[in-house]
Amino acid sequence: GTGSSILSALQDLFWLSKSKVEKQLQIISVLQWVLTFLIMGVACTLILMYILCTDCWAIAALYLAWLVFDWNTPKKGGRRSQWVRNWAIWRYFRDYFPIRLVKTHNLLTTRNYIFGYHPHGIMGLGAFCNFSTEATGVSQKFPGIRPYLATLAGNFRMPILRDYLMSGGICPVNRDSIDYILSKNGSGNAIIIVVGGAAESLNCTPGRNSVTLKNRKGFVKLALRHGADLVPVYSFGENEVYKQVIFEEGSWGRWVQKKFQKHIGFAPCIFHGRGLFSSNTWGLLPYSKPITTVVGEPITIPKTDNPSQKEVDFYHSIYVDSLIKLFDKYKSKFGLPETEVLEVN
């Protein structure tokens, strides 16, 4: 009857409304991370300097005193918070794309690991969601393994931002930090290094699967020095979420990017995603494209205090082959044609 029709209409309206609310929460969750990535460090520094010039200067002075006292904490494994890693906002972040973590092999808690993450993408969204939050269940899929996502050390010189990053288990990608985690923090540690770094981000664009790896061997040397197993990781879809202007080698644009990369540590990219209110406009929000991160089979690495270049080259070649095999095995399952080839530069 009429009553049933009205009830049905109200139910449809309710579910539509719930769906819209969830979509908006997903957008907000991703937007806050994008703004964190782009401006939080600089913004917090400026705000702190401003507070020092006001009647509330004592608050800023106390924080600066704490900063001096706590300066070396990022180099000693940081200060992760399971509460922050389990925030509901990260589940909305995950569902926006969506992001998925695929386990292919078990990891022993008696070993330490270095995960090589590929590709970098513009912001490494898959790396962050999978390893700095519990949104995709990394602790359940790899019980007893503590993941540490390594990022630019300069981020840990920024007030407030450093504490926010550490709460997710993020650490500086420098030798002091990695040495501490792999030698003085017991076993069951996994450091995730985005091997291609800023150089790789310059070539990321939708439809292209390219990694910067041929001359990146420092992570292999670290693995040998600590006897940490190497694990290839590939994120299908990481390059699809932003569109970038690619400057050709030898152009003025690429020259500027390389100068920034050399002297500052990151390369400025000209990129865009979708707008805040419409997917048909340009903006800072990434496109909602699926990102599937596949964690491959660990490569057993012997402990060698002073590895020779020959040893480094040998295990590097094994790692490259393992990454290519991982890509070839899973590419068709995640939307790529069988003819797709991983470009290793």
Side-chain angles (χ1 to χ4, degrees):
T2 305
S4 298
S5 299
I6 293 173
L7 181 61
S8 177
L10 287 173
Q11 287 176 336
D12 290 343
L13 182 61
F14 171 76
W15 287 112
L16 179 63
S17 243
K18 183 179 178 182
S19 174
K20 285 184 176 180
V21 168
E22 287 187 347
K23 187 62 180 176
Q24 292 306 311
L25 288 172
Q26 291 170 11
I27 289 173
I28 291 168
S29 69
V30 174
L31 179 63
Q32 69 83 26
W33 171 245
V34 170
L35 294 178
T36 296
F37 183 91
L38 294 175
I39 66 171
M40 183 177 178
V42 173
C44 288
T45 302
L46 293 175
I47 291 170
L48 194 66
M49 292 173 62
Y50 171 75
I51 293 175
L52 279 171
C53 301
T54 69
D55 293 338
C56 297
W57 65 268
I59 296 174
L62 283 172
Y63 179 80
L64 288 174
W66 160 253
L67 193 61
V68 172
F69 175 78
D70 195 55
W71 190 253
N72 289 323
T73 298
K75 298 177 183 178
K76 297 180 179 179
R79 189 170 45 247
R80 74 173 58 219
S81 166
Q82 286 303 116
W83 176 65
V84 173
R85 287 175 62 89
N86 281 289
W87 276 354
I89 194 171
W90 306 131
R91 295 193 290 275
Y92 289 111
F93 183 101
R94 171 199 66 196
D95 294 340
Y96 173 84
F97 296 93
I99 295 173
R100 180 186 172 201
L101 180 65
V102 176
K103 169 186 174 180
T104 63
H105 291 79
N106 292 324
L107 299 181
L108 299 175
T109 58
T110 54
R111 300 286 292 173
N112 283 324
Y113 301 90
I114 294 180
F115 287 17
Y117 184 92
H118 314 268
H120 183 287
I122 295 292
M123 296 184 187
L125 295 164
F128 169 76
C129 185
N130 284 307
F131 301 112
S132 294
T133 81
E134 294 296 332
T136 56
V138 62
S139 293
Q140 286 72 44
K141 290 177 179 177
F142 300 102
I145 302 297
R146 292 180 299 276
Y148 293 87
L149 177 61
T151 188
L152 289 175
N155 289 324
F156 296 90
R157 301 187 188 103
M158 302 285 189
I160 310 300
L161 175 63
R162 67 189 292 277
D163 301 287
Y164 189 38
L165 295 178
M166 283 194 292
S167 68
I170 301 177
C171 68
V173 62
N174 58 31
R175 181 169 172 175
D176 289 344
S177 178
I178 294 172
D179 282 348
Y180 183 91
I181 292 171
L182 294 180
S183 64
K184 299 179 181 178
N185 201 40
S187 60
N189 302 293
I191 296 181
I192 297 88
I193 300 177
V194 186
V195 178
E200 190 171 88
S201 69
L202 298 178
N203 295 317
C204 70
T205 188
R208 184 176 182 182
N209 289 282
S210 169
V211 297
T212 300
L213 184 56
K214 280 184 179 178
N215 297 315
R216 299 296 175 104
K217 300 180 181 181
F219 73 106
V220 178
K221 190 172 184 178
L222 280 169
L224 282 163
R225 288 181 61 244
H226 293 284
D229 294 349
L230 289 172
V231 183
V233 179
Y234 197 86
S235 262
F236 294 89
E238 184 72 64
N239 284 347
E240 307 299 314
V241 296
Y242 279 111
K243 295 178 180 178
Q244 181 184 187
V245 176
I246 304 293
F247 293 102
E248 296 296 327
E249 290 293 339
S251 66
W252 67 268
R254 183 53 65 98
W255 179 84
V256 169
Q257 288 176 321
K258 287 188 172 181
K259 287 295 182 183
F260 265 85
Q261 178 191 336
K262 180 179 179 180
H263 297 293
I264 301 179
F266 72 92
C269 302
I270 299 178
F271 66 93
H272 74 84
R274 52 155 288 183
L276 182 59
F277 302 106
S278 170
S279 59
N280 296 321
T281 58
W282 287 11
L284 289 176
L285 276 177
Y287 293 104
S288 52
K289 303 288 185 179
I291 298 175
T292 305
T293 302
V294 184
V295 180
E297 182 178 3
I299 303 164
T300 303
I301 303 294
K303 189 176 187 304
T304 308
D305 290 335
N306 294 296
S308 65
Q309 190 59 48
K310 185 177 180 180
E311 289 174 306
V312 172
D313 290 344
F314 174 73
Y315 284 103
H316 181 268
S317 66
I318 292 176
Y319 178 86
V320 173
D321 290 342
S322 296
L323 179 65
I324 293 172
K325 288 176 182 177
L326 180 71
F327 178 84
D328 288 339
K329 182 177 180 179
Y330 288 93
K331 60 186 178 183
S332 61
K333 294 182 181 179
F334 303 119
L336 298 178
E338 283 289 349
T339 54
E340 184 72 19
V341 175
L342 179 62
E343 181 183 336
V344 180
N345 298 312

